Amino acid sequence: MGMTITEKILAAHAGKATVEPGELIRAKLDLVLANDVTAPVSIKELEKINLEQVFDKDKVVLVQDHFVPAKDIKSAEQSKVVRDFARKFDITNHFDVGEMGIEHCLLPEKGLVTPGDVVIGADSHTCTYGALGAFATGVGSTDLAAGIALGEAWFKVPESIKFEYDGKLPEDVTGKDLILHTIGDIGVDGALYQSMEFTGSAIDELSMDGRMTMANMAIEAGGKNGIIAADQKTIAYVEERTNKPYKVYQSDEDAKYNRVIKYDVEKLEPVVAFPHLPENTRPVSEAGHVELDQVVIGSCTNGRIEDLRVAAKIMQGKKVHKNVRCIIFPGTQAIVKQAMKEGLIEIFIDAGCAVSTPTCGPCLGGHMGILAKGERSLATTNRNFVGRMGHPESEVYLCGPNVAAASAIAGRIVHPREVE
Amino acid sequence: MEFTGRVWKFGKDIDTDAIIPARYMNTSVPEELAKHCMEDADPTFPQKVQNGDIIVADKNFGCGSSREHAPICIRAAGVSCVIAKSFARIFFRNAINIGLPIFECPEAVDGIREGDVIQVNADSGVIFNMTTGQTYTAKALDASMQEIIRNGGLMEYVKTRLSEAKA
Protein backbone atom coordinates (compact mmCIF):
# COMPACT_ATOMS: atom_id res chain seq x y z
CA MET A 1 0.00 0.00 0.00
CA GLY A 2 1.32 3.46 -0.93
CA MET A 3 1.75 6.34 1.46
CA THR A 4 0.69 9.97 1.41
CA ILE A 5 3.27 12.75 1.51
CA THR A 6 2.44 13.36 5.18
CA GLU A 7 2.90 9.68 6.04
CA LYS A 8 6.22 9.56 4.19
CA ILE A 9 7.63 12.62 5.97
CA LEU A 10 6.52 11.35 9.37
CA ALA A 11 7.88 7.85 8.70
CA ALA A 12 11.28 9.26 7.66
CA HIS A 13 11.48 11.36 10.83
CA ALA A 14 10.47 8.44 13.03
CA GLY A 15 13.14 6.19 11.50
CA LYS A 16 10.53 3.86 10.01
CA ALA A 17 10.00 2.49 6.52
CA THR A 18 6.24 2.94 6.72
CA VAL A 19 3.60 4.38 9.05
CA GLU A 20 -0.16 4.07 9.11
CA PRO A 21 -2.88 6.47 10.20
CA GLY A 22 -3.57 6.14 13.92
CA GLU A 23 -0.05 4.95 14.71
CA LEU A 24 1.74 6.83 17.49
CA ILE A 25 5.27 7.87 16.59
CA ARG A 26 8.12 9.87 18.04
CA ALA A 27 9.46 12.12 15.30
CA LYS A 28 12.69 14.11 15.08
CA LEU A 29 12.11 17.83 14.61
CA ASP A 30 13.86 20.01 12.05
CA LEU A 31 12.60 23.26 13.52
CA VAL A 32 10.69 24.41 16.61
CA LEU A 33 9.09 27.85 16.77
CA ALA A 34 7.51 30.08 19.39
CA ASN A 35 6.51 33.74 19.63
CA ASP A 36 6.39 36.45 22.30
CA VAL A 37 3.04 35.19 23.63
CA THR A 38 3.60 31.42 23.61
CA ALA A 39 7.36 31.21 24.32
CA PRO A 40 7.12 32.62 27.87
CA VAL A 41 4.87 29.72 28.87
CA SER A 42 7.39 27.24 27.39
CA ILE A 43 10.29 29.01 29.05
CA LYS A 44 8.57 28.82 32.43
CA GLU A 45 8.25 25.04 31.97
CA LEU A 46 11.90 24.73 30.91
CA GLU A 47 13.03 26.70 33.94
CA LYS A 48 11.16 24.28 36.17
CA ILE A 49 13.28 21.42 34.86
CA ASN A 50 16.50 23.52 34.89
CA LEU A 51 17.19 23.11 31.19
CA GLU A 52 20.93 23.22 30.54
CA GLN A 53 20.88 23.41 26.77
CA VAL A 54 18.41 23.48 23.91
CA PHE A 55 18.48 20.50 21.52
CA ASP A 56 19.99 22.63 18.73
CA LYS A 57 20.44 26.38 18.97
CA ASP A 58 20.13 26.73 15.17
CA LYS A 59 16.79 24.92 15.09
CA VAL A 60 14.95 26.87 17.76
CA VAL A 61 13.24 29.94 16.28
CA LEU A 62 11.84 32.72 18.45
CA VAL A 63 9.88 35.52 16.80
CA GLN A 64 8.70 38.64 18.59
CA ASP A 65 5.61 39.37 16.52
CA HIS A 66 2.37 39.36 18.46
CA PHE A 67 2.51 42.39 20.75
CA VAL A 68 5.68 44.16 19.55
CA PRO A 69 6.88 46.86 19.49
CA ALA A 70 5.57 46.32 23.04
CA LYS A 71 1.99 47.54 23.38
CA ASP A 72 2.09 47.81 27.18
CA ILE A 73 4.22 47.00 30.20
CA LYS A 74 3.03 43.41 30.57
CA SER A 75 3.78 42.71 26.90
CA ALA A 76 7.20 44.29 27.28
CA GLU A 77 7.88 41.94 30.16
CA GLN A 78 6.78 38.90 28.16
CA SER A 79 9.08 39.93 25.31
CA LYS A 80 11.93 40.37 27.74
CA VAL A 81 11.51 36.81 29.01
CA VAL A 82 11.99 35.62 25.43
CA ARG A 83 14.92 37.98 24.80
CA ASP A 84 16.70 36.82 27.97
CA PHE A 85 16.16 33.17 27.05
CA ALA A 86 17.46 33.78 23.50
CA ARG A 87 20.63 35.40 24.88
CA LYS A 88 21.19 32.80 27.58
CA PHE A 89 20.99 29.90 25.11
CA ASP A 90 22.60 31.80 22.22
CA ILE A 91 19.60 31.15 19.95
CA THR A 92 20.67 31.81 16.35
CA ASN A 93 17.22 32.69 15.04
CA HIS A 94 15.72 35.16 17.47
CA PHE A 95 13.95 37.87 15.52
CA ASP A 96 13.30 41.05 17.45
CA VAL A 97 12.06 44.53 16.52
CA GLY A 98 13.74 45.77 13.36
CA GLU A 99 14.36 42.29 12.06
CA MET A 100 11.19 40.54 13.01
CA GLY A 101 8.18 39.90 10.84
CA ILE A 102 4.99 37.93 11.21
CA GLU A 103 6.44 34.50 11.96
CA HIS A 104 4.73 32.55 9.18
CA CYS A 105 5.78 35.10 6.58
CA LEU A 106 9.28 35.35 8.03
CA LEU A 107 10.41 31.72 8.37
CA PRO A 108 9.87 30.70 4.73
CA GLU A 109 11.37 34.02 3.57
CA LYS A 110 14.52 33.38 5.65
CA GLY A 111 14.89 29.91 4.16
CA LEU A 112 14.41 28.28 7.55
CA VAL A 113 11.85 25.77 6.29
CA THR A 114 12.55 23.35 3.47
CA PRO A 115 10.55 20.57 1.78
CA GLY A 116 10.30 17.35 3.76
CA ASP A 117 10.92 19.02 7.13
CA VAL A 118 8.98 18.32 10.32
CA VAL A 119 8.21 21.59 12.10
CA ILE A 120 6.26 22.31 15.25
CA GLY A 121 5.35 25.79 16.38
CA ALA A 122 3.55 27.15 19.39
CA ASP A 123 1.20 28.99 17.10
CA SER A 124 -1.71 27.35 15.36
CA HIS A 125 -0.86 28.83 11.95
CA THR A 126 2.44 26.94 11.86
CA CYS A 127 0.62 24.77 9.30
CA THR A 128 1.53 27.50 6.76
CA TYR A 129 4.84 25.74 5.98
CA GLY A 130 2.95 22.84 4.44
CA ALA A 131 2.97 25.04 1.34
CA LEU A 132 6.67 24.18 1.00
CA GLY A 133 6.01 20.45 1.12
CA ALA A 134 6.92 20.20 4.81
CA PHE A 135 4.93 18.63 7.65
CA ALA A 136 4.21 21.56 9.96
CA THR A 137 1.73 21.73 12.79
CA GLY A 138 0.75 23.95 15.67
CA VAL A 139 1.21 22.80 19.25
CA GLY A 140 0.90 24.32 22.68
CA SER A 141 3.66 25.73 24.81
CA THR A 142 4.35 22.53 26.78
CA ASP A 143 4.74 20.43 23.63
CA LEU A 144 6.99 23.19 22.35
CA ALA A 145 9.04 23.15 25.55
CA ALA A 146 9.52 19.40 25.14
CA GLY A 147 10.57 20.03 21.54
CA ILE A 148 13.11 22.66 22.58
CA ALA A 149 14.60 20.25 25.11
CA LEU A 150 14.52 16.99 23.16
CA GLY A 151 14.21 17.88 19.48
CA GLU A 152 11.38 15.38 19.25
CA ALA A 153 7.61 15.28 19.45
CA TRP A 154 4.89 12.66 19.72
CA PHE A 155 2.40 12.46 16.88
CA LYS A 156 -0.51 10.31 15.99
CA VAL A 157 -0.17 9.78 12.24
CA PRO A 158 -3.21 11.52 10.75
CA GLU A 159 -5.55 10.24 8.07
CA SER A 160 -5.44 12.40 4.97
CA ILE A 161 -8.11 14.15 2.94
CA LYS A 162 -7.14 14.93 -0.65
CA PHE A 163 -8.49 18.15 -2.11
CA GLU A 164 -8.30 18.46 -5.89
CA TYR A 165 -8.73 21.93 -7.37
CA ASP A 166 -9.07 21.60 -11.11
CA GLY A 167 -9.57 24.07 -13.90
CA LYS A 168 -8.15 27.51 -14.57
CA LEU A 169 -8.50 30.04 -11.76
CA PRO A 170 -10.78 32.95 -12.66
CA GLU A 171 -8.81 36.20 -12.56
CA ASP A 172 -10.37 37.51 -9.34
CA VAL A 173 -10.23 34.20 -7.41
CA THR A 174 -7.25 33.93 -5.04
CA GLY A 175 -5.76 31.23 -2.83
CA LYS A 176 -7.75 32.77 0.02
CA ASP A 177 -10.98 32.15 -1.85
CA LEU A 178 -10.05 28.52 -2.46
CA ILE A 179 -9.38 27.86 1.21
CA LEU A 180 -12.40 29.84 2.49
CA HIS A 181 -14.61 27.98 0.02
CA THR A 182 -13.17 24.69 1.27
CA ILE A 183 -13.73 25.56 4.95
CA GLY A 184 -17.26 26.68 4.08
CA ASP A 185 -17.78 23.31 2.43
CA ILE A 186 -16.39 20.97 5.10
CA GLY A 187 -16.86 23.11 8.23
CA VAL A 188 -14.56 24.29 11.02
CA ASP A 189 -14.05 20.70 12.20
CA GLY A 190 -14.32 19.11 8.77
CA ALA A 191 -10.70 17.98 8.85
CA LEU A 192 -10.36 17.51 12.62
CA TYR A 193 -7.15 15.56 13.42
CA GLN A 194 -6.61 15.02 9.69
CA SER A 195 -4.09 16.09 7.09
CA MET A 196 -5.37 18.31 4.27
CA GLU A 197 -3.49 17.63 1.05
CA PHE A 198 -4.03 20.27 -1.61
CA THR A 199 -3.57 19.17 -5.22
CA GLY A 200 -4.76 19.89 -8.75
CA SER A 201 -4.02 22.18 -11.67
CA ALA A 202 -5.24 25.29 -9.84
CA ILE A 203 -2.75 24.64 -7.03
CA ASP A 204 0.05 24.18 -9.59
CA GLU A 205 -0.94 27.56 -10.98
CA LEU A 206 -0.87 29.33 -7.59
CA SER A 207 2.23 31.27 -6.56
CA MET A 208 4.11 30.30 -3.38
CA ASP A 209 2.37 33.22 -1.66
CA GLY A 210 -1.04 31.90 -2.66
CA ARG A 211 -0.14 28.39 -1.55
CA MET A 212 1.00 29.67 1.85
CA THR A 213 -2.36 31.42 2.27
CA MET A 214 -4.09 28.09 1.70
CA ALA A 215 -1.93 25.95 3.97
CA ASN A 216 -2.13 28.69 6.63
CA MET A 217 -5.85 28.15 7.10
CA ALA A 218 -5.86 24.33 7.34
CA ILE A 219 -6.25 24.80 11.10
CA GLU A 220 -9.51 26.69 10.49
CA ALA A 221 -10.97 23.39 9.30
CA GLY A 222 -9.50 21.63 12.34
CA GLY A 223 -6.70 20.11 10.24
CA LYS A 224 -3.49 18.82 11.77
CA ASN A 225 -1.55 20.05 8.77
CA GLY A 226 -2.11 21.38 5.28
CA ILE A 227 0.35 20.25 2.64
CA ILE A 228 1.24 20.88 -0.98
CA ALA A 229 3.91 18.70 -2.56
CA ALA A 230 6.98 20.66 -3.65
CA ASP A 231 7.27 21.37 -7.39
CA GLN A 232 9.61 23.51 -9.50
CA LYS A 233 8.13 26.71 -8.02
CA THR A 234 8.81 25.47 -4.51
CA ILE A 235 12.33 24.43 -5.36
CA ALA A 236 13.09 27.79 -7.00
CA TYR A 237 11.71 29.59 -3.91
CA VAL A 238 13.76 27.49 -1.50
CA GLU A 239 17.00 27.49 -3.50
CA GLU A 240 16.96 31.26 -3.56
CA ARG A 241 16.96 31.30 0.23
CA THR A 242 19.02 28.44 1.63
CA ASN A 243 21.78 25.95 0.96
CA LYS A 244 20.36 23.51 3.47
CA PRO A 245 19.93 20.00 2.03
CA TYR A 246 16.33 18.81 1.80
CA LYS A 247 14.23 16.00 0.41
CA VAL A 248 11.15 16.31 -1.77
CA TYR A 249 8.31 13.87 -1.06
CA GLN A 250 5.25 13.05 -3.17
CA SER A 251 2.19 10.99 -2.35
CA ASP A 252 2.08 7.58 -4.00
CA GLU A 253 -0.53 6.91 -6.68
CA ASP A 254 -2.08 4.25 -4.46
CA ALA A 255 -1.90 6.23 -1.21
CA LYS A 256 -4.96 5.82 0.97
CA TYR A 257 -7.20 8.80 1.71
CA ASN A 258 -10.07 9.15 4.14
CA ARG A 259 -11.82 10.95 1.30
CA VAL A 260 -11.15 12.85 -1.90
CA ILE A 261 -12.94 16.16 -2.48
CA LYS A 262 -12.90 17.78 -5.92
CA TYR A 263 -13.63 21.38 -6.85
CA ASP A 264 -14.03 22.94 -10.27
CA VAL A 265 -12.39 26.32 -9.62
CA GLU A 266 -13.80 27.83 -12.80
CA LYS A 267 -17.20 27.95 -11.09
CA LEU A 268 -15.87 29.89 -8.08
CA GLU A 269 -15.99 33.60 -7.30
CA PRO A 270 -14.43 35.57 -4.45
CA VAL A 271 -15.71 34.45 -1.06
CA VAL A 272 -16.47 36.27 2.20
CA ALA A 273 -16.75 34.51 5.58
CA PHE A 274 -19.41 36.13 7.76
CA PRO A 275 -19.23 36.33 11.57
CA HIS A 276 -18.50 34.41 13.71
CA LEU A 277 -16.89 31.36 12.11
CA PRO A 278 -14.64 30.95 9.05
CA GLU A 279 -17.12 28.35 7.75
CA ASN A 280 -19.89 30.96 7.31
CA THR A 281 -18.91 31.63 3.73
CA ARG A 282 -20.88 33.25 0.94
CA PRO A 283 -19.90 34.25 -2.58
CA VAL A 284 -19.20 38.00 -2.44
CA SER A 285 -22.03 38.64 -4.90
CA GLU A 286 -24.43 37.33 -2.24
CA ALA A 287 -22.96 39.37 0.62
CA GLY A 288 -25.75 41.95 0.53
CA HIS A 289 -25.27 45.47 1.89
CA VAL A 290 -22.61 45.27 4.61
CA GLU A 291 -21.13 48.64 5.58
CA LEU A 292 -17.64 48.73 7.07
CA ASP A 293 -15.79 50.70 9.76
CA GLN A 294 -12.38 49.12 9.18
CA VAL A 295 -10.51 47.10 6.59
CA VAL A 296 -7.36 45.17 7.53
CA ILE A 297 -5.01 43.93 4.81
CA GLY A 298 -2.10 41.78 5.97
CA SER A 299 -1.38 39.02 8.55
CA CYS A 300 0.27 35.60 8.26
CA THR A 301 -2.54 34.67 5.89
CA ASN A 302 -2.36 37.55 3.38
CA GLY A 303 0.54 39.85 4.30
CA ARG A 304 2.88 38.80 1.50
CA ILE A 305 4.09 40.82 -1.47
CA GLU A 306 1.61 39.32 -3.92
CA ASP A 307 -1.25 40.26 -1.59
CA LEU A 308 -0.02 43.84 -1.41
CA ARG A 309 0.35 43.98 -5.20
CA VAL A 310 -3.23 42.79 -5.64
CA ALA A 311 -4.55 45.36 -3.14
CA ALA A 312 -2.45 48.23 -4.52
CA LYS A 313 -3.53 47.56 -8.09
CA ILE A 314 -7.13 48.11 -7.03
CA MET A 315 -6.39 51.12 -4.81
CA GLN A 316 -4.15 52.96 -7.26
CA GLY A 317 -5.52 56.45 -7.85
CA LYS A 318 -8.53 55.85 -5.59
CA LYS A 319 -9.45 56.92 -2.06
CA VAL A 320 -10.50 54.83 0.90
CA HIS A 321 -14.15 55.57 1.81
CA LYS A 322 -14.46 58.37 4.38
CA ASN A 323 -16.15 56.08 6.93
CA VAL A 324 -13.46 53.40 6.69
CA ARG A 325 -10.11 53.07 8.45
CA CYS A 326 -7.90 50.94 6.21
CA ILE A 327 -4.80 49.45 7.83
CA ILE A 328 -2.09 47.63 5.88
CA PHE A 329 0.12 45.10 7.72
CA PRO A 330 2.97 43.80 5.56
CA GLY A 331 4.32 40.48 6.84
CA THR A 332 8.03 41.24 7.09
CA GLN A 333 10.62 43.99 6.76
CA ALA A 334 11.70 42.55 3.39
CA ILE A 335 8.10 42.73 2.18
CA VAL A 336 7.89 46.37 3.35
CA LYS A 337 11.08 47.17 1.45
CA GLN A 338 9.92 45.42 -1.69
CA ALA A 339 6.55 47.20 -1.47
CA MET A 340 8.38 50.52 -1.16
CA LYS A 341 10.56 49.72 -4.16
CA GLU A 342 7.50 48.88 -6.24
CA GLY A 343 5.68 52.03 -5.15
CA LEU A 344 2.93 50.08 -3.39
CA ILE A 345 3.35 51.86 -0.05
CA GLU A 346 2.94 55.19 -1.82
CA ILE A 347 -0.26 53.97 -3.46
CA PHE A 348 -1.63 52.89 -0.08
CA ILE A 349 -0.74 56.14 1.64
CA ASP A 350 -2.12 58.23 -1.21
CA ALA A 351 -5.33 56.24 -0.97
CA GLY A 352 -5.59 57.12 2.72
CA CYS A 353 -4.46 53.85 4.29
CA ALA A 354 -2.29 53.53 7.40
CA VAL A 355 0.74 51.32 6.83
CA SER A 356 2.05 49.47 9.91
CA THR A 357 5.27 47.78 10.91
CA PRO A 358 4.86 43.98 10.71
CA THR A 359 2.87 42.59 13.67
CA CYS A 360 0.09 40.12 14.39
CA GLY A 361 -1.57 43.11 16.11
CA PRO A 362 -5.18 43.51 15.04
CA CYS A 363 -5.73 39.97 13.71
CA LEU A 364 -6.08 38.62 17.24
CA GLY A 365 -7.37 41.81 18.83
CA GLY A 366 -3.97 42.54 20.32
CA HIS A 367 -3.29 46.12 19.27
CA MET A 368 -3.06 48.46 16.26
CA GLY A 369 -6.66 48.34 15.08
CA ILE A 370 -9.01 47.18 17.84
CA LEU A 371 -12.75 47.42 17.19
CA ALA A 372 -15.27 49.22 19.40
CA LYS A 373 -18.64 47.77 20.35
CA GLY A 374 -20.84 47.44 17.27
CA GLU A 375 -18.03 48.08 14.79
CA ARG A 376 -17.43 45.94 11.75
CA SER A 377 -14.16 45.03 10.04
CA LEU A 378 -13.43 43.24 6.81
CA ALA A 379 -10.04 41.55 7.04
CA THR A 380 -7.69 39.36 5.04
CA THR A 381 -6.87 37.58 8.33
CA ASN A 382 -7.88 34.05 9.31
CA ARG A 383 -10.40 34.13 12.16
CA ASN A 384 -13.68 35.92 12.74
CA PHE A 385 -14.61 34.48 16.14
CA VAL A 386 -16.61 36.54 18.65
CA GLY A 387 -14.37 39.33 19.96
CA ARG A 388 -11.44 38.28 17.78
CA MET A 389 -10.54 41.84 16.77
CA GLY A 390 -11.77 43.71 19.81
CA HIS A 391 -15.11 44.21 21.56
CA PRO A 392 -17.16 41.01 21.94
CA GLU A 393 -19.99 42.81 20.12
CA SER A 394 -17.86 43.77 17.11
CA GLU A 395 -17.83 41.81 13.86
CA VAL A 396 -15.11 40.46 11.57
CA TYR A 397 -15.63 39.35 7.97
CA LEU A 398 -12.87 37.46 6.14
CA CYS A 399 -11.85 37.72 2.49
CA GLY A 400 -8.92 37.93 0.08
CA PRO A 401 -6.85 41.06 -0.62
CA ASN A 402 -8.78 42.10 -3.75
CA VAL A 403 -12.18 42.09 -2.06
CA ALA A 404 -10.67 43.89 0.96
CA ALA A 405 -9.10 46.65 -1.15
CA ALA A 406 -12.21 47.18 -3.27
CA SER A 407 -14.45 47.20 -0.19
CA ALA A 408 -12.23 49.76 1.58
CA ILE A 409 -12.90 52.11 -1.33
CA ALA A 410 -16.62 51.35 -1.56
CA GLY A 411 -17.16 51.52 2.21
CA ARG A 412 -19.07 48.24 2.08
CA ILE A 413 -18.37 44.66 1.02
CA VAL A 414 -18.18 44.56 -2.78
CA HIS A 415 -16.90 42.41 -5.61
CA PRO A 416 -13.59 43.84 -6.91
CA ARG A 417 -15.15 44.57 -10.32
CA GLU A 418 -17.47 47.14 -8.69
CA VAL A 419 -14.64 49.64 -8.16
CA GLU A 420 -12.88 49.20 -11.49
CA MET B 1 -9.25 10.05 40.34
CA GLU B 2 -12.87 11.10 40.70
CA PHE B 3 -14.49 14.51 40.26
CA THR B 4 -17.87 15.64 41.50
CA GLY B 5 -19.16 19.00 40.37
CA ARG B 6 -21.89 21.21 39.06
CA VAL B 7 -22.22 21.51 35.29
CA TRP B 8 -21.92 24.60 33.09
CA LYS B 9 -23.03 23.91 29.54
CA PHE B 10 -21.64 25.47 26.37
CA GLY B 11 -22.48 25.08 22.68
CA LYS B 12 -20.44 23.88 19.71
CA ASP B 13 -17.18 25.30 18.32
CA ILE B 14 -16.22 27.18 21.49
CA ASP B 15 -12.99 28.75 20.28
CA THR B 16 -9.89 29.69 22.24
CA ASP B 17 -10.67 33.40 21.80
CA ALA B 18 -13.93 32.78 23.69
CA ILE B 19 -12.10 30.76 26.36
CA ILE B 20 -9.41 33.40 26.88
CA PRO B 21 -9.51 36.49 24.64
CA ALA B 22 -6.10 37.52 23.29
CA ARG B 23 -6.53 40.97 24.83
CA TYR B 24 -5.69 39.36 28.18
CA MET B 25 -2.72 37.40 26.88
CA ASN B 26 -0.15 40.00 27.81
CA THR B 27 0.36 37.75 30.82
CA SER B 28 0.55 34.00 31.39
CA VAL B 29 -0.10 34.10 35.15
CA PRO B 30 -2.85 31.47 35.64
CA GLU B 31 -4.77 33.42 38.31
CA GLU B 32 -4.84 36.54 36.10
CA LEU B 33 -6.08 34.53 33.13
CA ALA B 34 -8.74 32.81 35.27
CA LYS B 35 -10.42 36.17 35.90
CA HIS B 36 -11.43 36.18 32.22
CA CYS B 37 -12.11 32.47 31.70
CA MET B 38 -14.85 31.86 29.07
CA GLU B 39 -15.60 35.58 29.17
CA ASP B 40 -16.52 36.00 25.50
CA ALA B 41 -18.82 32.95 25.61
CA ASP B 42 -20.45 33.94 28.92
CA PRO B 43 -19.32 37.24 30.50
CA THR B 44 -20.58 36.18 33.95
CA PHE B 45 -18.75 32.84 33.98
CA PRO B 46 -15.63 33.99 35.90
CA GLN B 47 -17.89 35.22 38.74
CA LYS B 48 -20.18 32.17 38.75
CA VAL B 49 -17.72 29.31 38.45
CA GLN B 50 -16.80 27.51 41.65
CA ASN B 51 -14.02 25.16 42.55
CA GLY B 52 -14.72 21.68 41.20
CA ASP B 53 -17.32 22.75 38.61
CA ILE B 54 -17.38 20.89 35.30
CA ILE B 55 -17.68 22.28 31.76
CA VAL B 56 -19.83 20.26 29.35
CA ALA B 57 -19.72 21.43 25.73
CA ASP B 58 -20.80 20.36 22.26
CA LYS B 59 -18.41 19.49 19.39
CA ASN B 60 -14.98 20.97 18.56
CA PHE B 61 -14.29 22.54 21.96
CA GLY B 62 -11.15 24.69 21.98
CA CYS B 63 -10.88 25.29 18.24
CA GLY B 64 -8.68 28.08 16.95
CA SER B 65 -5.37 29.12 18.38
CA SER B 66 -2.66 27.02 20.01
CA ARG B 67 -2.69 29.15 23.18
CA GLU B 68 -2.05 26.95 26.19
CA HIS B 69 -3.50 29.87 28.13
CA ALA B 70 -6.90 28.31 27.31
CA PRO B 71 -6.65 25.06 29.33
CA ILE B 72 -4.47 26.89 31.90
CA CYS B 73 -7.19 29.45 32.61
CA ILE B 74 -9.91 26.79 32.77
CA ARG B 75 -7.90 24.85 35.34
CA ALA B 76 -7.01 28.01 37.27
CA ALA B 77 -10.69 28.98 37.38
CA GLY B 78 -11.23 25.81 39.42
CA VAL B 79 -12.87 23.68 36.73
CA SER B 80 -12.09 20.04 37.50
CA CYS B 81 -12.61 18.60 34.03
CA VAL B 82 -14.18 19.23 30.62
CA ILE B 83 -16.54 16.88 28.79
CA ALA B 84 -17.30 17.53 25.11
CA LYS B 85 -18.56 15.75 22.01
CA SER B 86 -15.13 16.40 20.50
CA PHE B 87 -12.09 18.58 21.11
CA ALA B 88 -10.00 20.58 18.67
CA ARG B 89 -6.63 18.89 18.22
CA ILE B 90 -4.25 21.41 19.78
CA PHE B 91 -6.53 22.06 22.77
CA PHE B 92 -6.69 18.30 23.32
CA ARG B 93 -2.89 17.96 23.43
CA ASN B 94 -2.50 21.03 25.61
CA ALA B 95 -5.05 19.84 28.14
CA ILE B 96 -3.30 16.46 28.46
CA ASN B 97 0.13 18.10 28.67
CA ILE B 98 -0.83 20.40 31.53
CA GLY B 99 -2.96 17.78 33.28
CA LEU B 100 -6.48 19.15 32.72
CA PRO B 101 -8.65 16.01 32.48
CA ILE B 102 -10.87 15.95 29.38
CA PHE B 103 -13.42 13.42 28.18
CA GLU B 104 -15.11 12.82 24.84
CA CYS B 105 -18.66 11.59 25.30
CA PRO B 106 -21.44 12.78 22.92
CA GLU B 107 -24.20 10.90 24.82
CA ALA B 108 -23.27 12.57 28.11
CA VAL B 109 -23.27 16.00 26.46
CA ASP B 110 -26.78 15.38 25.12
CA GLY B 111 -28.05 13.94 28.40
CA ILE B 112 -26.57 16.38 30.91
CA ARG B 113 -28.24 19.74 31.62
CA GLU B 114 -26.78 22.92 33.04
CA GLY B 115 -26.84 22.82 36.83
CA ASP B 116 -26.82 19.01 37.05
CA VAL B 117 -24.34 17.59 39.51
CA ILE B 118 -22.21 14.86 37.98
CA GLN B 119 -19.50 12.48 39.06
CA VAL B 120 -16.66 11.61 36.68
CA ASN B 121 -14.30 8.70 37.21
CA ALA B 122 -11.14 9.62 35.32
CA ASP B 123 -9.78 6.07 35.24
CA SER B 124 -12.86 4.24 33.97
CA GLY B 125 -14.32 7.19 32.03
CA VAL B 126 -17.67 6.57 33.71
CA ILE B 127 -19.81 9.68 34.07
CA PHE B 128 -22.68 9.47 36.58
CA ASN B 129 -25.35 12.17 36.55
CA MET B 130 -26.32 12.43 40.23
CA THR B 131 -29.24 14.70 39.37
CA THR B 132 -30.92 12.34 36.89
CA GLY B 133 -29.35 9.01 37.84
CA GLN B 134 -28.08 8.36 34.31
CA THR B 135 -24.69 6.86 33.51
CA TYR B 136 -22.44 7.34 30.46
CA THR B 137 -19.02 6.07 29.47
CA ALA B 138 -16.45 8.34 27.82
CA LYS B 139 -13.98 7.22 25.16
CA ALA B 140 -10.78 5.92 26.79
CA LEU B 141 -7.60 7.94 26.23
CA ASP B 142 -4.71 6.43 24.25
CA ALA B 143 -2.23 4.57 26.44
CA SER B 144 0.52 7.12 25.75
CA MET B 145 -1.78 9.96 26.84
CA GLN B 146 -2.60 8.10 30.02
CA GLU B 147 1.11 7.64 30.61
CA ILE B 148 1.72 11.39 30.32
CA ILE B 149 -1.03 12.06 32.85
CA ARG B 150 0.26 9.32 35.19
CA ASN B 151 3.73 10.87 35.01
CA GLY B 152 2.33 14.23 36.07
CA GLY B 153 2.41 15.94 32.67
CA LEU B 154 4.70 16.05 29.67
CA MET B 155 7.54 17.95 31.37
CA GLU B 156 8.07 15.14 33.87
CA TYR B 157 8.61 12.83 30.90
CA VAL B 158 11.10 15.33 29.42
CA LYS B 159 12.95 15.45 32.73
CA THR B 160 13.25 11.67 32.79
CA ARG B 161 14.53 11.58 29.20
CA LEU B 162 17.12 14.27 29.87
CA SER B 163 18.44 12.55 32.97
CA GLU B 164 18.60 9.22 31.07
CA ALA B 165 20.64 10.91 28.35
CA LYS B 166 23.07 12.23 30.95
CA ALA B 167 23.48 8.91 32.75
Side-chain angles (χ1 to χ4, degrees), chain B:
Chain B
M1 228 183 334
E2 200 163 74
F3 312 103
T4 305
R6 185 180 46 157
V7 167
W8 297 102
K9 278 203 83 170
F10 289 91
K12 62 177 185 176
D13 304 318
I14 295 292
D15 60 79
T16 52
D17 282 85
I19 297 171
I20 182 71
R23 59 184 177 274
Y24 303 121
M25 280 170 39
N26 54 5
T27 176
S28 59
V29 177
E31 296 71 30
E32 287 293 314
L33 297 170
K35 288 180 193 163
H36 306 288
C37 181
M38 306 300 287
E39 190 178 287
D40 282 3
D42 175 0
T44 61
F45 187 77
Q47 285 78 53
K48 296 188 300 201
V49 66
Q50 282 173 16
N51 222 15
D53 284 357
I54 293 169
I55 288 176
V56 176
D58 208 288
K59 72 171 180 87
N60 202 25
F61 186 83
C63 62
S65 103
S66 69
R67 63 189 70 161
E68 207 158 290
H69 310 64
I72 289 174
C73 87
I74 290 174
R75 197 181 54 181
V79 172
S80 62
C81 64
V82 183
I83 302 168
K85 287 190 179 174
S86 62
F87 291 92
R89 187 189 74 83
I90 308 177
F91 182 92
F92 185 91
R93 280 183 86 114
N94 288 348
I96 301 288
N97 287 343
I98 68 152
L100 171 70
I102 53 174
F103 304 92
E104 275 186 7
C105 189
E107 304 77 32
V109 173
D110 286 334
I112 294 168
R113 295 160 308 181
E114 177 142 313
D116 286 357
V117 175
I118 64 172
Q119 203 169 55
V120 183
N121 185 305
D123 303 312
S124 64
V126 172
I127 301 165
F128 174 57
N129 189 334
M130 297 169 77
T131 308
T132 63
Q134 276 175 308
T135 300
Y136 313 93
T137 305
K139 209 165 103 183
L141 288 174
D142 281 323
S144 62
M145 301 284 172
Q146 288 183 19
E147 197 189 327
I148 291 172
I149 294 173
R150 257 200 312 277
N151 283 320
L154 184 65
M155 291 315 286
E156 287 304 313
Y157 165 79
V158 173
K159 225 159 88 178
T160 312
R161 282 282 307 277
L162 288 176
S163 60
E164 278 169 8
K166 251 189 197 171

Side-chain angles (χ1 to χ4, degrees), chain A residues 170-174 176-178 180-181 265 267-273 281-287 398-404 413-417:
Chain A
E171 200 192 344
D172 47 18
V173 173
T174 65
K176 183 64 164 283
D177 300 304
L178 294 184
L180 282 178
H181 180 77
V265 302
K267 290 183 182 147
L268 298 182
E269 64 161 298
V271 175
V272 176
T281 54
R282 293 183 203 177
V284 66
S285 60
E286 293 169 22
L398 306 174
C399 67
N402 53 350
V403 173
I413 297 177
V414 295
H415 192 289
R417 67 174 167 248

